Amino acid sequence: MYRKAVEKLERIQRQATKMIKGMEGELITAAYELGVAHPPGYPLFTLLAKLVIGLFPFGSIAYRVNLLCGLLGAAAASLLYYTVFRLSGSYAGGILAAGVFSFSRLTWQWSITAEVFSLNNLFVGLLMALTVHFEEAATAKERSKISKVGAFCCGLSLCNQHTIVLYVLCIVLWVLLQLFKGKELSFGHLLKLGLCFLAGLLPYLYLPASSYLHRARWTWGDQTTFQGFLTHFLREEYGTFSLAKSEAGSSMREMLLSQVTHMKTELSFTVPALAIVAWLRTAMQAKQEKSSMIWLFTGMLCIYSLFFAWRANLDITKPLFMGVVERFWMQSNAVAAVLAGLGLASLVSVGNTVLENSRVLQCVEWLSAAALVTSQIYANYSICDQSRNYVVDKFARNLLSSMPPDAIILLRGDLPGNSLRYLHYCEGMRPDVTLVDQEMMTYEWYLPKMAKHLPGISFPGRRWNPVEGILPDGTLTFNLHHFLKVNKHKEAFACIGLNEGDSTWRKSYSLWPWGSCDKLVSSVTVFNPGEWIHLTRSIYNWTEDYGRFDPSSWEAVANEEMWQARMKTAFFIFDLAETASVSADIKSQLYTFAYNSYKEIINSHKNHPVNWHKNYAIACERMLRLHKVDVDPEVLLSETVKHFLLYTEKAEDDPQRADILQAAKHLKKELQGLRKMNKDRKRLAV
């Protein structure tokens, strides 16, 4: 009976894990090559990064861009301080707003990483500071000047991250209303504001210019036509106003609840409490000076949160997707921090009214601000200290170093794609290999733009498509089998995995494990398990402990890939034994190779991925069926039961957990019977 349960388990080990990866390497590579980054292009960040790469004479390319992001984050903090101070006159309130936001885990992490979020934080602070400056302006001339500068900055902010458009709309409508109420909004002034806004969008001219020059070895899209530019600008390849295309995400309610919980965790419970104080004080004193600012910022926070919760179509129950979504909550956290700073100033103002400007209250105000900021630093420093974090760099270096000379690497996924591209193009590592992006080959622009930068590679058409032929627009397509055939003079590797939509390669090729990647080998080549185990046993030099990284981080993804690579060859050999049409002797040899390999790996690593327990247990059970004289059946049964139980302890969410437990129960009974039988034999022998 237990065998039926074990047979159900055979399907488990064939399940593959699919993960998405980060964008940092791609942004740096686009800047270094003066290419175009992923939609919507981020021209301002690309140009700033290129400037810093050229001006700073020290550190790696990645270090220089990370440093730029750190400086932008510091500038964003100063603008939050300025906003609170100008509105309330409170130095402590400004310090509180800048400190709790900047030293929150999320802001800190993304201010020292080559990403667009620190620049977006800078624009959030800048737009709020300019709005306050506009409110304080004493003359119509001054308001006119500030509104023009603000219009330009609004346009410029949209050259980075498009989520800021919601803040831009709120601020633009508010400024226009103020100008209209003061009878300062003429048609001529409105036209000038529009021109200033368009001037801010000028960095977007970089996209068609870069695409036209066609010099970058890595770029995204073809912006030489208006339609191509619009496709990129509106993120149509991802889904306009969405985080992912055709992805079922969490509900709006779940997203909002998670955001509130996240805000309390990131900024401490005190920050939203102080923000509420600012709202209450403003509501009770409707005629309070500058109260319209607080309502404007509150409206910005609410509108952004509601819209983002509606359009963020990712499942945040998955840690990695939560890591993607939470980055966009920084924009609302910045406003919440400003409101908290104003709330602290409001409390002190009320206290001063009651106690008549008590010095004690000023001390309490400063101590409160200092305590909150210090607690943020204390709580997050160890998490955000990235001075010794080279995980993704080591991941990419291991992958590139493992490749034979002049290999083709068919990239799939953001982590291997972007990290390998960075090392290959920016650091000049392994110039002999060629990187070809599987996903990009399905886009009509990829080969016309990139083929000339991939020397030695032949493309039997203009676009990759599983069904070969000529599309209605005249484009000649090719499949993966045809691509491999015309490039058979080079060894080809898939990192990580192949596109499931095209299985034509199976006609003439097999996938053999090569660490985290797979080698495409001619089907006529005979597989030698012993030789392949020896070849791939030490393919990587990986020393990171398993499970030491936050599950929502790219480091965790890289670490998981490298750990699973250790077991990949054993898994492949076991799968061959299960599925290949070979003789019983060959099957027995394959099972034995897989078992010995599993055993060696399991015994070499105390802490490892939970699925290793399951795979090893099934391998032991298969060895038990072979009745080999050189392996003790009691040991095999004991190991099977032990590792099945260890697996069920750690994999509580496995839908087949009940079957595994049932199998383990029956195997345990057999083990007890076997031990009793062995004991009786020994007694009789004596």
Side-chain angles (χ1 to χ4, degrees), residues 126-185:
L126 179 60
L127 293 183
M128 287 197 291
L130 284 171
T131 306
V132 172
H133 197 32
F134 176 86
E135 173 72 4
E136 290 179 332
T139 65
K141 184 178 180 181
E142 191 176 356
R143 281 190 291 275
S144 175
K145 181 181 177 181
I146 296 168
S147 63
K148 291 171 188 173
V149 173
F152 174 78
C153 290
C154 283
L156 198 62
S157 69
L158 293 175
C159 295
N160 187 51
Q161 190 168 296
H162 283 184
T163 54
I164 204 169
V165 69
L166 297 168
Y167 284 6
V168 168
L169 286 172
C170 292
I171 290 171
V172 165
L173 291 174
W174 182 85
V175 168
L176 291 177
L177 180 62
Q178 301 306 309
L179 291 172
F180 179 77
K181 285 164 64 176
K183 297 181 180 179
E184 299 169 15
L185 186 62

Side-chain angles (χ1 to χ4, degrees), residues 412-648:
R412 180 172 179 247
D414 290 337
L415 181 59
N418 295 332
S419 59
L420 264 63
R421 265 191 289 269
Y422 166 74
L423 286 178
H424 183 67
Y425 293 124
C426 302
E427 301 292 343
M429 184 176 179
R430 293 301 304 270
D432 59 302
V433 305
T434 306
L435 307 181
V436 180
D437 196 296
Q438 296 181 54
E439 216 172 31
M440 297 297 111
M441 274 203 293
T442 63
Y443 293 144
E444 60 182 352
W445 54 264
Y446 181 74
L447 290 179
K449 285 289 177 186
M450 302 302 298
K452 80 168 190 176
H453 299 297
L454 302 172
I457 305 297
S458 300
F459 295 97
R462 299 271 288 178
R463 191 173 175 183
W464 180 14
N465 194 307
V467 180
E468 285 195 316
I470 300 176
L471 297 178
D473 62 359
T475 301
L476 177 64
T477 64
F478 62 93
N479 56 35
L480 185 54
H481 179 265
H482 198 174
F483 173 80
L484 293 170
K485 185 178 178 181
V486 299
N487 291 286
K488 61 184 179 182
H489 58 289
K490 288 178 175 283
E491 294 181 90
F493 297 82
C495 293
I496 296 171
L498 285 172
N499 192 320
E500 294 92 345
D502 187 351
S503 59
T504 56
W505 57 273
R506 296 182 186 275
K507 298 176 187 176
S508 307
Y509 294 89
S510 300
L511 278 181
W512 292 5
W514 190 268
S516 290
C517 305
D518 295 280
K519 184 176 181 179
L520 285 142
V521 183
S522 172
S523 299
V524 299
T525 305
V526 178
F527 178 72
N528 185 323
E531 182 183 315
W532 205 254
I533 288 172
H534 176 74
L535 185 64
T536 60
R537 177 181 281 120
S538 303
I539 195 170
Y540 298 144
N541 178 25
W542 194 254
T543 57
E544 300 293 338
D545 293 335
Y546 183 73
R548 62 170 290 223
F549 300 105
D550 183 341
S552 65
S553 68
W554 306 128
E555 288 83 359
V557 177
N559 198 31
E560 181 73 21
E561 292 285 0
M562 295 306 261
W563 271 87
Q564 294 293 357
R566 289 185 165 115
M567 186 68 83
K568 203 169 173 184
T569 297
F571 181 92
F572 176 77
I573 295 171
F574 183 91
D575 195 53
L576 272 182
E578 295 278 281
T579 59
S581 299
V582 293
S583 67
D585 286 343
I586 298 294
K587 257 187 196 298
S588 177
Q589 289 176 25
L590 290 171
Y591 277 130
T592 304
F593 273 118
Y595 164 74
N596 288 329
S597 185
Y598 274 137
K599 183 180 178 181
E600 178 188 343
I601 297 166
I602 287 283
N603 292 335
S604 300
H605 305 283
K606 186 177 179 181
N607 184 31
H608 53 71
V610 65
N611 66 300
W612 288 17
H613 289 298
K614 172 192 61 184
N615 292 349
Y616 179 51
I618 297 175
C620 289
E621 193 277 335
R622 292 297 188 276
M623 286 296 292
L624 196 62
R625 295 186 192 184
L626 296 177
H627 303 292
K628 293 182 73 88
V629 294
D630 56 337
V631 184
D632 187 349
E634 185 178 334
V635 172
L636 290 174
L637 263 176
S638 176
E639 288 288 274
T640 304
V641 172
K642 174 186 172 182
H643 287 278
F644 268 151
L645 292 177
L646 284 171
Y647 176 73
T648 55

Side-chain angles (χ1 to χ4, degrees), residues 637-668:
L637 263 176
S638 176
E639 288 288 274
T640 304
V641 172
K642 174 186 172 182
H643 287 278
F644 268 151
L645 292 177
L646 284 171
Y647 176 73
T648 55
E649 284 177 14
K650 298 176 181 179
E652 295 182 356
D653 58 344
D654 191 320
Q656 294 180 314
R657 185 171 180 270
D659 291 331
I660 299 172
L661 284 170
Q662 186 182 16
K665 181 180 178 181
H666 287 283
L667 288 167
K668 196 171 184 180

